[in-house]
Amino acid sequence: MKELYIDFDGVILDTIPHLYQAADEAGVERSDEKFYETFDFKTILKDENILNDSINCIQKIIESKKFNVSILTHINSLQEGIDKVEYLRRFFKDITIILVPKKISKTKMIHTRGSILIDDYAHNLREWESEGGISVRFSQKRNGKGFLVVNKLDQIIEMF
Ligand SMILES: [Mg+2]
């Protein structure tokens, strides 16, 4: 079985537009990390924000028995991490969830060599590849930016 790590924001849930909207409404820069440290993630961790049937797709990926699946997500605050774990546990009782402090690269938390990362953020994918990992971009428009690309998570099953 291959190790497969799946990003959360912009892959499982469509949180980013809501975060930007909240920053705009608060009158702060979208890059303002302090703002996200106090943002209440519970307000956007909602089923209506599920991206392209991601939850069911992850279930299918697990059932394929081709991958050992973990969720790998950056967090701006401990509370954000707690809220994400509680949200994911509604669907997955027994999946590994790894919370990565925003200031640390995902590659610093994981054995990357030969492991697959599905992420929407090209910067994360570049770092992953440079550490010997296999990068797959999640893009609704199938814009891979030079990486393998999926716009629905279960497409990964036929890819490896
Ligand atoms: Mg992301």
Side-chain angles (χ1 to χ4, degrees):
M1 282 209 283
K2 266 194 157 341
E3 294 299 321
L4 171 62
Y5 296 92
I6 302 176
D7 176 31
F8 185 90
D9 297 284
V11 174
I12 296 175
L13 244 59
D14 194 17
T15 52
I16 307 293
H18 298 283
L19 290 173
Y20 285 171
Q21 190 189 338
D24 292 349
E25 284 169 5
V28 301
E29 294 290 324
R30 291 178 172 188
S31 57
D32 187 342
E33 288 177 7
K34 281 273 171 290
F35 175 74
Y36 301 118
E37 283 172 16
T38 56
F39 181 78
D40 182 3
F41 261 73
K42 274 206 266 320
T43 61
I44 59 172
L45 297 175
K46 294 190 171 146
D47 296 352
E48 68 206 43
N49 291 328
I50 290 173
L51 267 167
N52 271 8
D53 205 27
S54 61
I55 299 292
N56 289 325
C57 285
I58 292 171
Q59 202 56 55
K60 272 192 220 167
I61 294 168
I62 293 168
E63 283 165 11
S64 80
K65 298 198 188 310
K66 287 171 97 171
F67 305 92
N68 186 25
V69 182
S70 305
I71 312 293
L72 181 64
T73 181
H74 267 132
I75 55 167
N76 299 277
S77 68
L78 271 183
Q79 190 58 50
E80 178 187 334
I82 292 164
D83 293 340
K84 282 177 167 172
V85 169
E86 283 179 355
Y87 181 77
L88 286 164
R89 284 286 170 246
R90 289 178 42 221
F91 306 105
F92 306 106
K93 301 291 170 236
D94 187 30
I95 198 170
T96 301
I97 304 170
I98 302 156
L99 306 173
V100 183
K102 188 75 179 186
K103 290 188 170 67
I104 299 178
S105 166
K106 290 183 178 182
T107 62
K108 300 299 176 206
M109 304 293 283
I110 301 296
H111 178 81
T112 48
R113 191 158 296 278
S115 303
I116 304 165
L117 172 68
I118 305 179
D119 204 298
D120 60 319
Y121 188 32
H123 175 77
N124 289 342
L125 296 169
R126 270 194 298 277
E127 284 184 340
W128 195 262
E129 244 180 30
S130 74
E131 296 292 328
I134 301 160
S135 292
V136 178
R137 183 156 194 258
F138 181 88
S139 161
Q140 298 207 70
K141 294 176 181 161
R142 296 188 64 89
N143 173 6
K145 295 194 175 177
F147 301 100
L148 293 169
V149 64
V150 294
N151 60 1
K152 202 162 172 286
L153 284 175
D154 60 355
Q155 291 163 358
I156 197 82
I157 298 170
E158 301 307 323
M159 216 174 241
F160 291 93

